[in-house]
Amino acid sequence: MSKSQDLTRRGFVAGASALGLAGGQAQAQAAFPSRPITLIVPFAAGGSTDIVARLVGQKMGELLGQSIVIDNRAGAGGNIGSTAVARAAPDGYTILMGTISTHALNPAILKTVTFDPVKDFTPISLLAIVPNVMVVHPSFPAKTVQEVLKVLKDNPGKYSYASSGVGTPLHLSGELFKSIGGVSMNHVPYRGAGPALNDVVSGAVPIMFDNLPSSAQFIRGGQLRAIGVTTKERVSSFPDLPTIAEGGLVGYETYTWNALFGPANMPRAVVDRLNAEANKALTDPHVKQRLNDVSAEIVGSTPEALGEHVKIEVAKWFPIAKASGAAIE
């Protein structure tokens, strides 16, 4: 055998091996998912994050051909569930419904930081931006922002407001309201928006700053009175409801967002599959209608766009969270 023939033979064998390896990888990637996927929601059932997770997760499961199991792991402002995903195997079978709390606020207020919001996660897709709303129990003696401010100023320290936990966007929404309005309210933190909402609906706590999706049905049903939305502009599902800024607190604005993340170092093919089906789920007429009903702004981003979004949010909220004095053990 000549030298050139030997080199040709070696090249053929190497090329065949490479093709076989590539084919095996492609087959393995094409097989994803081969079993159910766990979507960890780091808050209690019933809140806005849970609503979005179940809505999008169900449709994604249909598109992926495997069920997506919702696992609510509430506690520490979303830190418990987020940490579980950060430490999970990066195979795409454990993913997170992340929020502004888990990826922008917690790093500033956790006494013990158990993950890096950028380095320890693989961004998948920014799903939606969600407005917050200030609601009160119907027995509360105020119907407008100005009336709320007057009641609170006339009764310093008498009233309390509920939130989904210390350091969450809902907590900071209340602190911002107190700061700009120059009023006093006691903060009552819960393990998620669902339990907090239940107590406000029952009248145990008179005031809450909530994500609009979870409060919408109670507002429409008369169990809660909406005072104002926290975004700059009014929302389409409640066009007659003014913003808190319109009500007199100029410059007031808060909101939250929902996004899918996996553990760091997930295979790109798996990320792309999850991203494609998540974004496709957002175009489903039923999903779009449900999200539009609560004025959630549908996004559906690339993994890279979500990664940049997280960096921007960390830079924006870090000083605000620090100034609030909030701290999570």
Side-chain angles (χ1 to χ4, degrees), residues 290-309:
R290 285 288 309 277
L291 291 175
N292 287 334
D293 284 345
V294 293
S295 299
E297 179 187 343
I298 297 172
V299 182
S301 75
T302 63
E304 291 75 17
L306 173 56
E308 286 302 309
H309 175 77

Side-chain angles (χ1 to χ4, degrees), residues 225-267:
R225 178 186 302 136
I227 300 297
V229 290
T230 64
T231 44
K232 279 186 178 179
E233 306 293 335
R234 295 191 182 196
V235 298
S236 59
S237 58
F238 292 91
D240 296 329
L241 181 61
T243 67
I244 289 179
E246 280 182 276
L249 291 190
V250 178
Y252 185 96
E253 180 192 14
T254 68
Y255 56 87
T256 189
W257 45 264
N258 295 113
L260 290 177
F261 297 88
N265 303 315
M266 281 173 56

Side-chain angles (χ1 to χ4, degrees), residues 167-228:
T168 62
L170 306 182
H171 172 206
L172 296 182
S173 292
E175 294 303 301
L176 187 61
F177 186 91
K178 286 165 58 177
S179 176
I180 297 178
V183 294
S184 172
M185 289 187 291
N186 302 309
H187 176 224
V188 182
Y190 287 77
R191 290 172 61 87
L197 195 57
N198 288 338
D199 271 9
V200 178
V201 170
S202 72
V205 182
I207 303 168
M208 182 178 180
F209 291 83
D210 189 27
N211 300 137
L212 185 54
S214 52
S215 278
Q217 61 176 322
F218 297 107
I219 295 170
R220 293 193 176 101
Q223 295 103 314
L224 292 176
R225 178 186 302 136
I227 300 297

Side-chain angles (χ1 to χ4, degrees), residues 43-125:
F43 303 101
S48 171
T49 303
D50 182 67
I51 290 172
V52 175
R54 292 178 187 278
L55 184 62
V56 176
Q58 180 178 354
K59 189 61 185 181
M60 280 184 66
E62 294 173 10
L63 295 169
L64 289 165
Q66 289 287 346
S67 61
I68 292 186
V69 180
I70 304 300
D71 182 357
N72 294 94
R73 297 196 195 178
N79 187 52
I80 292 174
S82 301
T83 300
V85 174
R87 295 175 179 172
D91 54 12
Y93 288 99
T94 303
I95 57 178
L96 174 74
M97 182 60 77
T99 69
I100 188 174
S101 290
T102 61
H103 281 70
L105 302 182
N106 282 358
I109 60 180
L110 287 171
K111 289 187 175 181
T112 302
V113 179
T114 54
F115 61 80
D116 184 296
V118 176
K119 296 179 180 179
D120 291 339
F121 294 91
T122 297
I124 298 173
S125 177

